[in-house]
Amino acid sequence: MRYYVKLFWERTALAEELLDFFLEHNVQPELDFSSPHLMAMSASEHAVMAALWRERGLACAVHLPFIMPDAMGRVSFKPREALEDMLKAVQATKAYGPRHFVGHPYLFAQGALRGNTLEELLELWTRAAEACAPANLYLENTLEQDPRPLADLAARLPKNCGVCFDVGHWHALAGGRRKRNLELWLDELMPLIGHLHLHDNYGGYDEHLAPGEGLIDWDYFAALLSARGLKPGVTFETSFALRDLRATRNYVVRHPKFRKTLGLE
C-alpha cells in the first residue's frame, strides 16, 4: 500500500526500526520543513538523508514552513521575508526530489489573510508554486470556516497548484463536527483537490489521532469521495510515534473498502 506519513524531524529520530517500518509497509515520508532542525541542515547533510530514503525505495513529499497565527488568532507576514523563507525551504528540499509540496495559506472567511492584502498572498504563493515546479503545490485548509476563499486562491495560482483537503482540520478547526457540512467543503473544493491529509479527533481541537480513534465518520467520508470520483493522494498526519504508525496501518488493513476507495492498495 502506497501513502505518505508526515514526519516531524525534531520529534522523530531517524531510527532503524522506524525506517524499517516505512520500507516494510511502503510508507513514504512527507517531510516537515517547518522543523528548525531540517532547515538548519547543510546541503550535504540533505543529500545524505535524501540518498537514504532513495536507497530504500521511498518517495518523499514536503510540507513547507508555516505562517503561524499569534495567540489572538491574528496572522500577518512581511511579504519579502515570508517569500525568502519559503524559497529557502524549497531549495533545501531539491535533493529529495519531492513528488509534491503542501503549504498553509491561513485564509479566513473574509477571503484574505488578516494583516495582508490578497495581492500579497497571491504573489507569495505564485512565487512558491513556480519554485516548486514541476512538482505540484497543494494549499491546505487550516483555520478557515468557509472553503470558498481557499478555492478562489488556488484557482488563481499556476497550474501546478491545487488543494490539500485536511479532514481533521475541517472536523475540529472549521466546526465540521457541529456543522456537518463535509459535502459543502468537498463540492466547493472538488475541482482542485489533489491531495488529502487524514487524521482523527473528537471535534474539539486538532489532536492528530490515527483514523478510528476519534469521531470522524471515515466510511461516510470515503463514500462522499467515491460518489464524486475523487481519488487524491493521501498523507496520514498522525502523531508520528511508532505506535501511531502501527495504529494507522492497522486501520487501513482492517478497512478494505476505505483502502480501495482511497486507492491505497
Side-chain angles (χ1 to χ4, degrees):
M1 291 180 284
R2 283 285 182 179
Y3 51 81
Y4 294 88
V5 169
K6 190 173 177 183
L7 184 57
F8 284 87
W9 217 267
E10 69 271 30
R11 283 176 149 191
T12 308
L14 199 57
E16 193 68 27
E17 64 175 9
L18 184 60
L19 284 174
D20 287 345
F21 183 92
F22 272 62
L23 180 62
E24 179 184 354
H25 301 297
N26 291 320
V27 180
Q28 304 169 133
E30 186 176 284
L31 304 172
D32 181 13
F33 268 75
S34 65
S35 161
H37 179 72
L38 272 181
M39 289 300 294
M41 288 169 59
S42 67
S44 59
E45 288 174 317
H46 281 301
V48 170
M49 195 66 68
L52 181 59
W53 292 111
R54 192 162 49 248
E55 288 166 4
R56 290 173 172 266
L58 295 171
C60 295
V62 167
H63 201 300
L64 291 169
F66 301 111
I67 302 171
M68 293 297 291
D70 64 20
M72 299 299 292
R74 297 184 297 255
V75 184
S76 64
F77 63 88
K78 296 178 181 179
R80 181 173 296 178
E81 291 180 7
L83 180 59
E84 287 176 356
D85 288 345
M86 200 73 68
L87 296 182
K88 180 181 177 183
V90 172
Q91 185 60 37
T93 71
K94 291 299 184 180
Y96 299 91
R99 299 291 179 86
H100 70 264
F101 294 80
V102 176
H104 282 192
Y106 281 107
L107 283 159
F108 293 85
Q110 67 268 34
L113 200 64
R114 293 178 182 176
N116 291 93
T117 66
L118 183 57
E119 287 70 28
E120 288 173 329
L121 196 60
L122 283 166
E123 172 67 12
L124 171 66
W125 291 106
T126 295
R127 292 287 302 278
E130 291 170 349
C132 292
N136 289 332
L137 169 61
Y138 299 117
L139 300 186
E140 178 182 345
N141 58 299
T142 48
L143 304 174
E144 296 82 3
Q145 304 299 299
D146 183 328
R148 288 170 292 186
L150 180 58
D152 291 343
L153 174 64
R156 294 177 64 179
L157 292 173
K159 291 183 179 180
N160 66 318
C161 283
V163 167
C164 173
F165 179 60
D166 189 308
V167 68
H169 289 168
W170 161 80
H171 192 249
L173 304 181
R177 174 69 183 169
R178 173 176 52 84
K179 297 176 184 177
R180 301 185 182 279
N181 60 351
L182 183 55
E183 289 191 61
L184 168 67
W185 277 77
L186 290 177
D187 288 341
E188 289 289 345
L189 299 175
M190 184 170 62
L192 295 159
I193 294 175
H195 203 73
L196 300 171
H197 272 181
L198 305 183
H199 50 98
D200 215 336
N201 59 65
Y202 283 87
Y205 65 99
D206 197 18
E207 296 166 274
H208 285 265
L209 304 174
E213 295 188 344
L215 295 177
I216 293 176
D217 187 336
W218 293 102
D219 289 338
Y220 176 62
F221 176 60
L224 292 181
L225 293 178
S226 180
R228 288 157 177 77
L230 289 173
K231 195 171 284 189
V234 171
T235 296
F236 289 100
E237 276 199 311
T238 48
S239 296
F240 318 114
L242 193 57
R243 178 260 173 209
D244 300 297
L245 290 176
R246 288 173 175 151
T248 297
R249 165 72 182 180
N250 289 341
Y251 184 88
V252 173
V253 169
R254 293 172 182 172
H255 294 80
K257 187 174 180 180
F258 173 85
R259 186 172 69 243
K260 183 176 180 180
T261 300
L262 271 68
L264 303 180
E265 296 184 314

